[in-house]
């Protein structure tokens, strides 16, 4: 890998050969749009998209492929959910309702709901959290919407999503639960039926598939009447016209209703290979534990993750994190520095930023030892 040590899996995964091959083969030999053509070639692409959708449904334990909507990523999904669930025309306005978020949230998970709250007038409340950064189900407040970061991209703590949702439903059976699984999806098997969430999002690029593709799971897709995006592929019939009268528009059934415009077909073709790969190659937490044990002895390092976390995050005590990141980069060590689009947890910890190391299936103990050596050298 050009002599670099890539320890930034949580930002984006390197791509397995099987994903690259699937996309290359499609682009070279069988490219066509999906949901648009009637020739045999186009039909094969439609079948491949259907099959990828079914694969995703099985991957996250969904009961039907109709619950799987392709998006452009977690950010897109979370923004869309904040629009879909506030539907005043269909009598489902969130005005004056309570939205529960947490300080673990990524900007992509929380900002759409903060902005929604500002625009229509909702109350934002925080889910309580214990000293190990587990969201607490025992003293959870009543909420109408509950946004849950299943795994923080800074601390790597995996939440007990099923218990949190069950506790939230005890307080309000109608609470709408929205899970950001962008990090969790890499680390452990998801079971949306066990979790009983209403929505869940993840990005394909973090599990080894391509960029520009994400998944939005909707538990009851027919409950949400109004689509949030409009265009080709999501309309089944338009009758009449404004000029001749009798004008009516009928949406396609789900999931097409929520998939306006051309799908990222090539990325979808690569997705099943990425799912096969990640199911066999979850991150090796022993590598993180080794780094934790080795660097916790270093007096110039303040570690902010727990030992059994799925990533290793720290602050160099004697230099700025950005300077640290640049120096590490010049020595071939790729890692993430800054606030990682998670300002709230950094604010809570009183930090301007941190350094994160996250491992992928391609990393070995040799990578980690070299990384430790480079880190120790930079901060000594
Ligand atoms: C926890 C979490 N949520 C959301 C996102 C946003 O994902 P994307 O940029 O792929 O939309 C990320 C990306 O790092 C993340 O780690």
């Amino acid at each position: 890998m050009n002599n670099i040590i890539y320890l930034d899996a949580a930002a984006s995964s390197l791509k397995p050969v099987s994903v690259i091959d699937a996309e290359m083969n499609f682009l070279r030999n069988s490219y066509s749009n999906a949901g648009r053509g009637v020739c045999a070639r186009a039909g094969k692409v439609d079948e491949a998209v259907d099959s990828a959708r079914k694969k995703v449904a099985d991957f996250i334990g969904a009961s039907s492929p109709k619950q799987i909507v392709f998006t452009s990523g977690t950010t897109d999904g979370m923004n869309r959910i904040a629009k879909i669930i506030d539907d005043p025309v269909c009598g489902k306005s969130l005005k004056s309702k309570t939205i529960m978020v947490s300080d673990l949230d990524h900007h992509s998970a929380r900002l759409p709901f903060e902005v929604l709250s500002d625009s229509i007038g909702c109350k934002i409340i925080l889910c309580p959290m214990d000293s190990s950064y587990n969201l607490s189900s025992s003293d959870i407040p009543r909420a109408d919407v509950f946004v849950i970061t299943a795994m923080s991209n800074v601390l790597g703590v995996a939440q007990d999503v099923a218990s949190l949702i069950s506790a939230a439903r005890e307080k309000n059976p109608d609470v709408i639960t929205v899970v950001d699984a962008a990090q969790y999806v890499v680390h452990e098997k998801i079971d949306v039926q066990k979790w009983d969430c209403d929505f869940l999002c993840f990005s394909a690029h973090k599990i080894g598939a391509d960029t520009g593709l994400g998944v939005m799971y909707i538990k009851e897709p027919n409950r949400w009447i109004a689509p949030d995006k409009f265009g080709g592929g999501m309309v089944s019939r338009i009758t009449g016209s404004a000029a001749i009268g009798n004008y009516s528009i009928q949406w396609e059934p789900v999931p097409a209703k929520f998939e306006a415009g051309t799908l990222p077909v090539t990325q979808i073709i690569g997705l099943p290979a990425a799912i096969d790969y990640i199911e066999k190659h979850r991150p090796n937490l022993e590598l993180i534990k080794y780094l934790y044990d080795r660097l916790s002895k270093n007096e110039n390092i303040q570690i902010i993750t727990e030992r059994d976390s799925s990533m290793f995050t720290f602050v160099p005590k004697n230099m700025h994190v950005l300077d640290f990141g640049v120096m590490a980069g010049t020595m071939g060590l790729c890692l993430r520095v800054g606030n990682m689009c998670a300002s709230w947890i950094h604010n809570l910890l009183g930090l301007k930023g941190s350094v994160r190391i996250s491992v992928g299936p391609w990393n070995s103990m040799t990578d980690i030892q070299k990384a430790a050596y480079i880190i120790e050298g930079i901060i000594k």
Side-chain angles (χ1 to χ4, degrees), residues 72-84:
S72 72
T74 309
T75 304
D76 184 36
M78 298 303 283
N79 276 275
R80 294 185 59 187
I81 292 164
K83 282 194 192 146
I84 291 168

Side-chain angles (χ1 to χ4, degrees), residues 104 129-135 151-159 187 284-296 302-315 345 349 355-357:
L104 297 174
M129 181 158 73
D130 69 17
S131 56
S132 299
Y133 309 103
N134 294 300
L135 297 176
M151 178 178 276
S152 146
N153 64 316
V154 178
L155 301 170
V157 179
Q159 302 296 332
H187 290 269
N284 179 354
L285 300 191
E286 291 310 309
L287 301 181
I288 294 292
K289 282 187 183 146
Y290 171 86
L291 201 60
Y292 185 99
D293 291 340
R294 178 155 165 184
L295 295 184
S296 55
Q302 178 196 348
I303 298 174
I304 61 173
T305 40
E306 306 275 316
R307 186 172 183 272
D308 57 358
S309 172
S310 60
M311 45 196 78
F312 182 83
T313 307
F314 67 97
V315 182
I345 188 64
L349 296 169
V355 182
R356 180 187 68 199
I357 287 180

Side-chain angles (χ1 to χ4, degrees), residues 20-32 40-42 44-45 266 269:
I20 298 168
D21 284 351
E23 291 197 9
M24 292 261 284
N25 183 38
F26 174 62
L27 289 169
R28 280 216 169 100
N29 303 316
S30 46
Y31 183 82
S32 174
R41 190 174 171 123
K44 284 220 158 46
V45 177
T266 310
I269 298 289

Side-chain angles (χ1 to χ4, degrees), residues 10-11 73-76 106 108 149 151 153 180 182-183 203 205-206:
T74 309
T75 304
D76 184 36
H106 190 277
S108 300
T149 295
M151 178 178 276
N153 64 316
D180 171 359
Q183 295 295 337
S203 302
H205 69 94
K206 293 208 200 270

Side-chain angles (χ1 to χ4, degrees), residues 197-219:
C197 50
D198 294 299
F199 292 91
L200 177 139
C201 297
F202 69 89
S203 302
H205 69 94
K206 293 208 200 270
I207 60 165
D210 211 339
T211 49
L213 173 63
V215 166
M216 172 169 69
Y217 160 81
I218 312 182
K219 181 178 157 193

